[in-house]
C-alpha cells in the first residue's frame, strides 16, 4: 500500500484552477464583443490579483511553490537533460523544462493583464489607464495585448500536450496531484513532502494583493475626460 505525501499546497492549487477558469472567461468575453467588455475587464482585474498572488507566493509559499526551488538555471537544465530516465522521472515539483514554461506563462499573463489596463476597444470600454500613454507606447500596449494572447494560446496548447504526453507515454498523472495536492510514495520520498499549506500566510498575502489591485484599478486610476460628447 502506497502512502501519499502533500506536494502542492492548497493556495497554489486554487490559484491554478481559478487561473484556468479566468483565462477561459477572458477569452470568451473578448470573443463575445463590446457588450461583454465590461465583464472582460472585471475578469482581467481578477487575473491581476491571481498573478500578483502567485508572484508573492513564489517567495513566501511552500517548498515546491517557491521560485528559488525550481528556477530553471542553466545548471539545473543541463543536469536534468543529462541524467538517466529514472532520475529524470523523479522530479518532485516542476522539472526544469516544465519550470521554463511556468515562468514564460506567468510573464505572458502579467504582460497581457497589465497591457489591458492601458487599452480601449474604441467603443464603450477602456482600461482604467487608457489615455495615459502616448504615441508609440500606446501602440506597444495594444500590440502587447494582441501578441501576448497568441503566444499564450500556443503555450497553453503545449502545456496541455505535455501533460497528456506524461499521462500516455510516461504513465504519470500530473493532473491528480494538481487537484489533491498529493503524490504517491511510489513517486516521491517522504522528505519531499510539505507539512501544511501555510493557509494563514496565504490569506494575508491574498488580502494585501487584493487591496493593491483595488488601489491600482480604482483609487489610483486617473480620471480622463477626453471622451465626453454632448
Ligand atoms: C490575462 C488577462 C487577459 C487576457 C487573456 C485578455 C485577452 C484579450 C483578448 C483575447 C482580446 C481580444 C483581442 C483582439 O480582439 O485583438 C482582448 C481585448 C481587450 N482587452 Fe483583454 N485580456 C486580459 C486582461 C485585460 C485587462 C486587465 C483589461 C483592462 C482592464 C483588458 C481590456 C481589454 C480591452 C479594452 C480589449 C479590447 C481591445 C480592442 O478591441 O482592440 N484585458 N483581451
Ligand atoms: C484544462 C487545462 C489544464 C490542465 C489539465 C492543466 C494542468 C496542469 C498541471 C497538471 C500542472 C502541474 C504541472 C507539473 O506537475 O509540473 C499545471 C501547472 C501550471 N499550469 Fe496548467 N493546466 C491547464 C490549463 C492551464 C492554463 C489555461 C494556464 C494558463 C493560462 C495554465 C497555467 C499553469 C501554470 C502557470 C502552472 C504552474 C503552477 C505554478 O507553479 O504556479 N494551465 N497545470
Amino acid at each position: 500500500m502506497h502512502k501519499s505525501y502533500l506536494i502542492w499546497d492548497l493556495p497554489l492549487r486554487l490559484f491554478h484552477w481559478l487561473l484556468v477558469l479566468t483565462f477561459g472567461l477572458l477569452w470568451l468575453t473578448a470573443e463575445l464583443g463590446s457588450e461583454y467588455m465590461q465583464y472582460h475587464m472585471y475578469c482581467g482585474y481578477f487575473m491581476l490579483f491571481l498573478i500578483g498572488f502567485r508572484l508573492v507566493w513564489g517567495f513566501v509559499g511552500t517548498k515546491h511553490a517557491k521560485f528559488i526551488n525550481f528556477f530553471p538555471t542553466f545548471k539545473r537544465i543541463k543536469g536534468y537533460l543529462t541524467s538517466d530516465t529514472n532520475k529524470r522521472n523523479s522530479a518532485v515539483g516542476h522539472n526544469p523544462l516544465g519550470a521554463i514554461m511556468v515562468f514564460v506563462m506567468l510573464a505572458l499573463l502579467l504582460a497581457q493583464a497589465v497591457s489591458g489596463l492601458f487599452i480601449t476597444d474604441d467603443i464603450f470600454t477602456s482600461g482604467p489607464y487608457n489615455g495615459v500613454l502616448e504615441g508609440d507606447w500606446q501602440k506597444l500596449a495594444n500590440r502587447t495585448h494582441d501578441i501576448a494572447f497568441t503566444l499564450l494560446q500556443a503555450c497553453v496548447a503545449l502545456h496541455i500536450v505535455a501533460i497528456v504526453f506524461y499521462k500516455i507515454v510516461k504513465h504519470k498523472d500530473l493532473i491528480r496531484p494538481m487537484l489533491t495536492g498529493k503524490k504517491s510514495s511510489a513517486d516521491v520520498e517522504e522528505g519531499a513532502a510539505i507539512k501544511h499549506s501555510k493557509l494563514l500566510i496565504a490569506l494575508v498575502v491574498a488580502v494585501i494583493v487584493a487591496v493593491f489591485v483595488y488601489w491600482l484599478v480604482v483609487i489610483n486610476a486617473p480620471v480622463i475626460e477626453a471622451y465626453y460628447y454632448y
Side-chain angles (χ1 to χ4, degrees):
M1 187 62 192
H2 290 303
K3 277 176 130 184
S4 54
Y5 300 121
L6 187 63
I7 299 297
W8 301 121
D9 60 66
L10 179 65
L12 183 114
R13 284 177 279 144
L14 272 177
F15 156 79
H16 181 268
W17 297 114
L18 286 172
L19 180 74
V20 176
L21 179 72
T22 312
F23 186 75
L25 287 175
L26 279 158
W27 190 343
L28 184 72
T29 49
E31 292 286 332
L32 288 175
S34 59
E35 281 166 53
Y36 290 83
M37 262 299 141
Q38 195 64 35
Y39 301 111
H40 183 81
M41 292 209 336
Y42 293 147
C43 294
Y45 297 155
F46 189 62
M47 183 60 101
L48 271 175
F49 163 76
L50 288 175
I51 301 298
F53 175 84
R54 181 61 183 102
L55 293 182
V56 180
W57 201 237
F59 293 94
V60 302
T62 59
K63 189 171 168 190
H64 306 292
K66 276 194 178 145
F67 295 145
I68 198 161
N69 291 332
F70 67 92
F71 190 82
T73 57
F74 185 66
K75 201 171 150 206
R76 280 183 185 160
I77 297 171
K78 198 172 157 212
Y80 177 75
L81 291 176
T82 50
S83 62
D84 59 56
T85 323
N86 260 350
K87 200 153 173 249
R88 223 181 290 165
N89 281 343
S90 68
V92 180
H94 301 300
N95 72 47
L97 294 188
I100 297 178
M101 189 54 123
V102 173
F103 283 103
V104 169
M105 284 199 286
L106 290 178
L108 285 172
L109 285 164
L110 183 66
Q112 177 93 32
V114 170
S115 62
L117 299 175
F118 295 94
I119 65 174
T120 172
D121 67 352
D122 290 322
I123 307 175
F124 304 119
T125 320
S126 303
Y129 289 84
N130 179 244
V132 168
L133 299 178
E134 283 171 12
D136 287 348
W137 288 105
Q138 181 61 48
K139 279 194 202 134
L140 183 69
N142 290 332
R143 281 189 64 76
T144 304
H145 211 70
D146 231 23
I147 295 172
F149 189 66
T150 311
L151 294 175
L152 268 168
Q153 284 174 308
C155 288
V156 169
L158 196 62
H159 176 59
I160 293 170
V161 166
I163 288 159
V164 172
F165 173 83
Y166 264 79
K167 176 81 190 154
I168 294 176
V169 179
K170 297 196 167 208
H171 304 290
K172 275 216 182 309
D173 186 357
L174 298 179
I175 298 181
R176 223 176 131 81
M178 244 315 151
L179 289 166
T180 63
K182 292 180 175 164
K183 288 194 176 181
S184 154
S185 57
D187 294 323
V188 296
E189 285 171 11
E190 190 172 1
I194 55 172
K195 289 199 176 62
H196 55 83
S197 284
K198 289 193 174 179
L199 289 182
L200 202 60
I201 299 179
L203 192 66
V204 173
V205 173
V207 170
I208 293 174
V209 175
V211 170
F212 173 72
V213 172
Y214 184 76
W215 171 83
L216 185 73
V217 303
V218 178
I219 299 176
N220 189 52
V223 179
I224 292 158
E225 301 189 41
Y227 296 105
Y228 283 118
Y229 296 101
Y230 295 99

